[in-house]
Amino acid sequence: MSDDPDLPIRLAAFAALERLAVANAGRLAWRDIDDGFRFRGDKVHFANRARGIFKPRQMTGALSVKTTEPRAGRRSWYRDQGSILDVETGLFSYDLARDTARDSNDSLRVAFERKAPLIYFLAVRPAVYEVIWPVWVEQFSQAEGRALLAAADSARANVSSVEAVLAGDAESRPRSYYVVESRRRNHQAWFSSRTKSAYGYRCAFSGLPLRDLLVGAHIVPDAEEGPASVTNGICMSTLHHTAFDTHLIGVDPNLRIHVAESVFEGRDGPLLESLKALADRSLRVPSEAPLQPRREYLEQRFAQFVAAQP
């Protein structure tokens, strides 16, 4: 991002967007998006309702991309995120604008060449959008009429996940390993980003709203063929993720939180006390039923928590 002259505006947009996303549980009405944000006394827009690719007049490259609103009777992407990811790469395939809007495509190409982070507005119902950021253009093809987008868990993440995976000693492992691994990593990055957005960028255990300390964690682990679906995910802080993975805390199928007896035996400061205080509380989940954890996933993971107790 150091070569991006638009970087100060992008960072201001991300900061303003984080406040909006946390305040609105990850779902933004178009009126909130349309209000834009202030940068050095000037109003800057996040997106344009008529165009999917948007470059504010104050910038030289695109700031955001947006999907169209779901048509009546059609399922929106958030109910099954995996179905629209590119099969070969695990990246999200985004259609470029038609020839009548080449300037929009050019602004996205500029962002691609600079490896600049973008905002992704996903329409989940008319005039309501889920917001995911940052995302990057990993591949751009005017000839194919599409761009491939990669997600990341924070603005500090590696800009190019594909390049990061492919970098290294090509002689040490077959290329197929790298292809599979890059696809898996991109797929998991979208899963994590989607899960955090679904939970309104707050930890489901503590309510912590700091995005840089949150992860989208699997209920049934990826290693056990757990799907990269929001219904198999919980947004949690890095502390709670570690506790969840080591079976110090668990969640039963009724969303009740359990704490291992070994935690209560410890006496070591406020962090430990905060874990103890979770016992018998209810997990915070999205208000929309299609985004909530599936009972069978919770049952499977809770059985592992119970089995891990002495």
Side-chain angles (χ1 to χ4, degrees):
M1 292 189 293
S2 59
D3 295 329
D4 180 17
D6 298 326
L7 178 58
I9 303 181
R10 293 186 192 280
L11 295 181
F14 294 162
L17 201 59
E18 181 158 2
R19 292 190 292 270
L20 282 172
V22 171
N24 293 279
R27 295 290 186 276
L28 298 184
W30 174 252
R31 62 179 178 274
D32 297 319
I33 298 171
D34 195 41
D35 281 342
F37 62 100
R38 307 298 296 185
F39 179 75
R40 296 176 181 171
D42 199 13
K43 179 178 178 178
V44 183
H45 288 283
F46 285 116
N48 179 287
R49 190 161 195 170
R51 287 191 172 191
I53 302 169
F54 177 66
K55 179 187 78 66
R57 61 177 176 81
Q58 299 92 339
M59 297 178 64
T60 58
L63 173 64
S64 68
V65 293
K66 177 173 62 65
T67 62
T68 57
E69 297 171 356
R71 297 177 183 176
R74 295 187 64 181
R75 185 173 61 181
S76 60
W77 177 50
Y78 73 86
R79 297 177 188 272
D80 184 8
Q81 75 148 15
S83 63
I84 62 154
L85 294 180
D86 181 69
V87 175
E88 293 299 319
T89 63
L91 300 167
F92 173 71
S93 181
Y94 187 86
D95 291 337
L96 298 179
R98 298 183 183 277
D99 289 340
T100 54
R102 283 292 295 270
D103 57 328
S104 294
N105 293 343
D106 287 343
S107 70
L108 190 62
R109 177 183 51 76
V110 168
F112 163 66
E113 292 171 348
R114 295 173 180 169
K115 298 185 178 180
L118 302 163
I119 301 164
Y120 178 55
F121 291 106
L122 167 67
V124 294
R125 55 179 179 268
V128 178
Y129 296 81
E130 179 177 303
V131 55
I132 300 172
W133 82 101
V135 302
W136 284 270
V137 182
E138 292 243 16
Q139 297 180 28
F140 182 93
S141 176
Q142 186 70 54
E144 295 181 9
R146 71 170 187 170
L148 295 181
L149 307 179
D153 283 344
S154 78
R156 298 188 182 92
N158 194 311
V159 169
S160 178
S161 55
V162 169
E163 290 178 1
V165 172
L166 295 181
D169 184 4
E171 301 298 324
S172 63
R173 295 186 182 183
R175 179 174 172 78
S176 60
Y177 167 83
Y178 292 108
V179 173
V180 170
E181 186 68 3
S182 65
R183 179 168 60 246
R184 187 193 69 79
R185 288 189 181 182
N186 282 298
H187 191 76
Q188 296 306 324
W190 277 107
F191 157 76
S192 182
S193 296
R194 285 292 336 287
T195 300
K196 290 189 292 186
S197 179
Y199 280 74
Y201 299 102
R202 288 182 179 272
C203 173
F205 290 98
S206 66
L208 181 76
L210 299 178
R211 286 181 68 243
D212 285 346
L213 297 180
L214 299 177
V215 297
H218 285 79
I219 299 172
V220 177
D222 180 58
E224 299 175 18
E225 303 299 322
S229 167
V230 172
T231 57
N232 185 41
I234 299 173
C235 177
M236 58 184 81
S237 74
T238 51
L239 168 67
H240 295 95
H241 188 201
T242 300
F244 189 71
D245 276 355
T246 55
H247 303 299
L248 294 178
I249 56 176
V251 181
D252 70 26
N254 296 315
L255 303 178
R256 180 168 163 255
I257 301 172
H258 298 253
V259 178
E261 191 62 36
S262 59
V263 174
F264 288 98
E265 294 171 354
R267 298 287 186 273
D268 194 20
L271 282 180
L272 197 61
E273 295 304 316
S274 70
L275 290 181
K276 296 177 185 179
L278 293 174
D280 295 325
R281 289 186 182 179
S282 293
L283 191 74
R284 309 166 190 230
V285 298
S287 58
E288 299 178 60
L291 301 176
Q292 294 173 2
R294 289 181 61 171
R295 186 180 181 89
E296 55 263 43
Y297 299 149
L298 291 171
E299 287 175 344
Q300 182 175 335
R301 185 59 180 258
F302 188 65
Q304 295 176 355
F305 169 81
V306 173
Q309 306 313 306

